Amino acid sequence: MRTDAFALRHLGPRETDLNHMFKTIGVDSLDQLIFETIPDDIRLKNDLNLEAPMTEYEYLNHIQELGKKNKVFKSYIGLGYHPAIVPAVIQRNIFENPGWYTAYTPYQAEIAQGRLEAILNFQTTVMELTGMEIANASLLDEGTAAAEAMALLLDVRSRDQKKNNVNKFFVSEEILPQTLSVLQTRATPFGIELVVGNHETFDFSSDFFGAMLQYPGKYGQVYDYAGFIAKAKTNEIKVAVAADILSLVKLTPPGEMGADVVVGTTQRFGIPMGYGGPHAGYFATKEEYKRSMPGRIIGVSIDANGNRALRMALGTREQHIKREKATSNICTAQVLLAVMAGMYAVYHGPKGLQYIADKVHASATTTTEALNKLGVYQTNSAFFDTILVKADANKVKAIAEKQEVNFYYVDSETISIAFNETTSVADINQIIAIFAEATGKTTESINQLAKESILSENLIRKSSFLQHDVFNNHHSESQLMRYIKKLERKDLSLNHSMISLGSCTMKLNAAAEMLPLSMANWNSIHPFAPIEQAEGYITMLKKLEQQLNVVTGFTGTTLQPNSGAQGEYAGLMAIRAYHQSRGDNHRTVCLIPSSAHGTNPASAAMAGMDIIVTKTTPEGNIDVEDLRARAIEFKDKLSCLMVTYPSTHGVFESSIIEITNIIHENGGLVYMDGANMNAQVGLTNPATIGADVCHLNLHKTFAIPHGGGGPGVGPICVNDKLVPFLPTNPVVKVGGDKAITAISSAPYGSALVCLISYGYICMLGAEGLTNATKYAILNANYMKARLQEHYPVLYSGEMGRAAHEMILDCRAFEDNGIKVTDIAKRLMDYGFHAPTVSFPVAGTLMIEPTESEDLAELDRFCDALIAIRKEIAASSKEDAQNILKNAPHTLAMVTANEWTYPYTREQAAYPLEYIAENKFWPTVRRVDEAYGDRNLVCSCAPIEAYM
């Protein structure tokens, strides 16, 4: 056994298990299984051209050495990113804890109550600091949250505004540059006309439906927007405000000024800068707009016993259901980062946040006074944390960089300095010394921070916030550590058992891949730091792009999209730009098979495309003749096809090359959804099947953790045709020579977690990556062989094989009174998270085991499903007290004095022998979804207050 081979640790089945697995499946070898699964004409002829794999030890040494090429300067750049202190108790117990970072999106609420409570804390923090009525469970970053705000305001226009096609949106010139770029990208396909200007001279014409303000402005100026918002309201113009979350501790909240939407980032609430992400964006609005709100909302409901229980609210808003009628394609959140930001608020409480905000403000005022004495004058009339000074920028920059300090240089004589939580008196003296040297003057040393605020009375917050117990009871480390542990125990994560979610690829997030995220050389770099200070990052990111090019067979990659749905959007926007560059503006038709992921039509709608749905056959494959007919019908308007491969039904369709040829023959391009890439890597690739662009879910195939519903990374890989159109950034130039505007805020999106995928590829190498794919297919087909006697498998390939996932048809069990939801809830009693429920086909379970699960775990899961099948057989519609209908069974239920059910406590809680060794207890009974939607509560107030 090669103890230093990473692949050995990553792959679940042992060599000694293989013959048993082959025999169960009915093949002689792994090669035979792969031959029977993947059409031969799309198999790769050569191994992936990647460097030899590193051992874990070699990789960690390599990444440490590479990290030394990043220069961690004192950063006062600002522009929405600030050095922050990650409390050690949060870093150790959440950020570095697989109990938190390996959890899945809380669709199964009964085994996700801990995460749901943590997100409720986050939502409460956002609502109370912004002064708004409702907040969501986070968005991807500030720029994309602002774009979602613009889309919401477009959606909630008055009837007359819609009838008259009122389409102008005002954006203050104080907006962050990266936010403006993302707004430009999003506005174009919607037909929104952006007008950028000075809010003080805005004319409030009836041509405008909305406006976006920055609070404080990009270089620190704080404006009183109450008058602007009041005047906008009288002219039927709704207002969104992008606000710095820490400033709202000290400044009047936008909600109190009458804002309709408030967005921003919670990065400075204890999240490292990480060269741009991941960070939790926030989105808060009015209750009346809840049905148009993007993303997820965590709401308070009750369980079957009437006890308080949390769940994801307003599920019908999901783009999977609305498809092309969705107002957003957002499919994810930044849950792990939102949990950390919420815990930061819990740990510090209102008084602690006040202390931090006061210290940051005092650092800015103290420095201003000292610089004024030097004749370096500050020009903002009111500021929170960022000052704007007049000085010789070139001279200051040369001195500052020698002292490892970064300011933001607005122009040759204007410098912006943004203070932060980490700024000390010694740092202030260093800043003053830099300007003293630049002006040739001497200065006295500062010993303490100034006490006076320069904010006028009308700008200062009067209202209280975070008065709920949770923000006032956990201020010692032992208290917070126990609170975090209490919540963690309520959640089922990969550190307990396998999570076999089809299409979601919940694979191992290896510790060696995760460790570098805590290294200061990697997590402390500002995304707009001079490029020469980020040599380690640029080397790693460019290498990852090359590795992904090799895996996909393409020639260019952008890492900017920070979710899979954003990757879809980026790919479609690149296709759109390609057609327009050739004068083919009329090519707007996007063909999408009816079996596609729900985000596909939603993304196409976001990209301004006309969606035509094509048929699938009874076997679940694309109906080639219908596709051909549609492609010919729309050949003059055809933009692209969106196709998932292997299909959403878990099958390698043999007609794929014919399908892509049809599209190309009719002038379109092919977008491949990379959700199922875990069945392709090393065996086939998007270029070989004839795609032009694909997105990859790095949080699936390439081992970034799901983090309870995010972070995600959704880069797109493209062929030569599309390389020129890869997106750029207004501050740091990236992308192609005909680049589209920004897809997300940071130049490289969530750069910090790209380290995980880089490590995954470096340590597996070509053979390891290919074997990972083979073992994913092996594990899926082993489970299929074990389960198909008990559950009908809905679709199979031409030789009877599944790809890396399969769909079990549970619809017939309704004759026994059992729905697929009952099976999902009963699996909790067996210690498992349910597979994907009712997607892509209602009444089914889609199972994907991944390559990292060992034979014993596969068998445990199969045993559980087989045992449940026997319970289904013993059920009837007349049986009201059914073991499945009552699932899940909580500890309180099983230990109650009274037991009135027609089955034993042991059958309820310990139906199979293995469960006793490692019992996981759901903490609430089945959650009442409808109640939670009828009585929407999404903050920490006790439920009694709403009853």
Side-chain angles (χ1 to χ4, degrees), residues 11 13 30 154-155 193 213 442 444 478 519 624 635 910 914:
L11 299 173
L30 195 49
L154 182 74
D155 187 52
E193 185 184 335
L213 306 170
T442 55
E444 292 175 17
S478 54
M519 296 176 183
V624 178
K635 68 177 179 184
Y910 298 100
Y914 73 82

Side-chain angles (χ1 to χ4, degrees), residues 492-773:
L492 192 143
S493 302
L494 275 173
N495 64 349
H496 182 276
S497 57
M498 86 189 268
I499 301 177
S500 62
L501 286 150
S503 193
C504 290
T505 316
M506 296 290 292
K507 68 202 290 171
L508 173 73
N509 315 119
E513 296 156 5
M514 301 297 294
L515 286 173
L517 273 57
S518 295
M519 296 176 183
N521 281 348
W522 291 105
N523 67 27
S524 304
I525 310 285
H526 193 290
F528 302 146
I531 211 88
E532 59 273 14
Q533 293 173 24
E535 191 186 333
Y537 256 116
I538 299 304
T539 303
M540 181 273 291
L541 294 167
K542 292 296 170 198
K543 183 77 177 289
L544 177 58
E545 287 175 3
Q546 288 164 6
Q547 291 167 332
L548 297 177
N549 287 343
V550 169
V551 165
T552 57
F554 287 138
T555 49
T557 293
T558 174
L559 297 164
Q560 195 176 112
N562 45 19
S563 81
Q566 262 204 7
E568 292 176 18
Y569 178 68
L572 294 171
M573 290 300 283
I575 288 173
R576 185 178 188 275
Y578 166 79
H579 286 310
Q580 291 185 346
S581 75
R582 295 155 56 88
D584 289 343
N585 295 31
H586 54 280
R587 289 197 172 273
T588 58
V589 167
C590 177
L591 302 182
I592 304 179
S594 60
S595 60
H597 286 120
T599 50
N600 286 182
S603 295
M606 298 300 109
M609 294 186 174
D610 303 311
I611 294 135
I612 302 294
V613 177
T614 69
K615 294 175 185 172
T616 50
T617 66
E619 295 74 44
N621 297 328
I622 292 171
D623 184 326
V624 178
E625 290 317 309
D626 183 62
L627 182 88
R628 191 192 313 276
R630 293 297 197 162
I632 292 168
E633 180 186 352
F634 294 103
K635 68 177 179 184
D636 295 332
K637 294 181 179 179
L638 184 61
S639 172
C640 59
L641 164 75
M642 294 187 84
V643 61
T644 302
Y645 200 73
S647 73
T648 311
H649 296 148
V651 173
F652 281 96
E653 297 178 45
S654 57
S655 56
I656 188 64
I657 290 180
E658 184 185 0
I659 287 166
T660 57
N661 283 341
I662 289 168
I663 301 304
H664 290 141
E665 284 161 10
N666 289 283
L669 298 185
V670 176
Y671 168 90
M672 194 204 87
D673 184 314
N676 294 340
M677 198 68 196
N678 212 42
Q680 280 197 44
V681 179
L683 299 178
T684 183
N685 65 34
T688 299
I689 71 167
D692 298 282
V693 49
C694 75
H695 90 265
L696 301 172
N697 297 94
L698 298 193
H699 50 287
K700 296 182 184 182
T701 309
F702 295 93
I704 292 176
H706 277 69
V713 179
I716 57 168
C717 305
V718 299
N719 61 14
D720 290 338
K721 286 179 185 172
L722 295 175
V723 166
F725 307 101
L726 293 176
T728 187
N729 177 278
V731 185
V732 177
K733 190 182 181 310
V734 292
D737 56 15
K738 296 177 186 171
I740 60 173
T741 43
I743 293 294
S744 64
S745 290
Y748 294 98
S750 295
L752 180 64
V753 289
C754 286
L755 279 164
I756 300 165
S757 299
Y758 175 70
Y760 173 81
I761 296 170
C762 286
M763 288 187 283
L764 278 177
E767 187 183 0
L769 285 169
T770 306
N771 281 337
T773 309

Side-chain angles (χ1 to χ4, degrees), residues 75-84 140-144 176-179 182 214 218 244 265-268 271-280 385-386 406 408 418-420 524-529 560 562 729 731-732 744-751:
S75 176
Y76 305 101
I77 295 170
L79 292 182
Y81 301 93
H82 303 267
L140 302 173
D141 59 27
E142 181 165 342
T144 53
L176 298 175
Q178 67 273 20
T179 300
V182 176
Q214 189 80 43
K218 60 185 171 184
D244 177 285
T265 174
T266 55
Q267 180 266 314
R268 64 193 312 181
I271 314 294
M273 288 187 292
Y275 204 49
H279 309 134
D385 65 349
T386 302
N406 286 329
Y408 187 69
F419 295 86
N420 61 77
S524 304
I525 310 285
H526 193 290
F528 302 146
Q560 195 176 112
N562 45 19
N729 177 278
V731 185
V732 177
S744 64
S745 290
Y748 294 98
S750 295

Side-chain angles (χ1 to χ4, degrees), residues 14-34:
R14 303 293 86 187
E15 196 72 35
T16 50
D17 299 329
L18 296 182
N19 283 334
H20 166 71
M21 296 177 80
F22 296 154
K23 192 176 173 188
T24 305
I25 295 167
V27 292
D28 296 327
S29 67
L30 195 49
D31 286 341
Q32 183 191 341
L33 174 63
I34 300 305

Side-chain angles (χ1 to χ4, degrees), residues 220-243:
Q221 175 67 41
V222 178
Y223 297 95
D224 181 353
Y225 289 128
F228 179 97
I229 293 170
K231 199 165 179 189
K233 246 183 196 44
T234 62
N235 290 276
E236 273 203 285
I237 297 169
K238 296 182 176 69
V239 180
V241 179

Side-chain angles (χ1 to χ4, degrees), residues 51-216:
E51 291 174 10
M54 299 180 193
T55 66
E56 290 188 25
Y57 181 71
E58 287 167 343
Y59 173 71
L60 289 170
N61 283 333
H62 159 72
I63 212 69
Q64 231 155 356
E65 287 304 307
L66 194 56
K68 288 175 186 172
K69 294 185 177 182
N70 293 323
K71 298 182 177 73
V72 183
F73 283 20
K74 289 276 178 187
S75 176
Y76 305 101
I77 295 170
L79 292 182
Y81 301 93
H82 303 267
I85 297 168
V86 186
V89 61
I90 294 174
Q91 177 172 323
R92 173 56 57 92
N93 292 291
I94 295 176
F95 189 60
E96 298 173 344
N97 180 354
W100 285 93
Y101 67 68
T102 71
Y104 182 58
T105 310
Y107 286 111
Q108 298 296 335
E110 295 83 359
I111 49 175
Q113 289 295 300
R115 237 167 322 128
L116 289 164
E117 182 171 328
I119 294 295
L120 200 72
N121 295 343
F122 171 83
Q123 290 178 178
T124 304
T125 301
V126 169
M127 286 162 64
E128 299 205 1
L129 287 175
T130 60
M132 299 305 286
E133 295 167 350
I134 189 169
N136 72 11
S138 79
L139 289 176
L140 302 173
D141 59 27
E142 181 165 342
T144 53
E148 295 288 352
M150 177 177 68
L152 178 141
L153 295 182
L154 182 74
D155 187 52
V156 300
R157 286 174 300 171
S158 69
R159 188 174 293 172
D160 281 350
Q161 285 175 325
K162 286 178 179 174
K163 195 171 93 181
N164 297 321
N165 194 29
V166 174
N167 70 338
K168 284 188 178 178
F169 188 75
F170 173 77
V171 182
S172 165
E173 60 198 14
E174 289 282 348
I175 201 84
L176 298 175
Q178 67 273 20
T179 300
L180 177 58
S181 189
V182 176
L183 286 171
Q184 287 165 337
T185 310
R186 194 71 70 89
T188 307
F190 281 153
I192 295 170
E193 185 184 335
L194 287 191
V195 178
V196 182
N198 183 338
H199 77 273
E200 293 176 318
T201 58
F202 179 54
D203 67 358
F204 299 95
S205 107
S206 60
D207 297 341
F208 289 84
F209 69 87
M212 172 77 64
L213 306 170
Q214 189 80 43
Y215 186 60

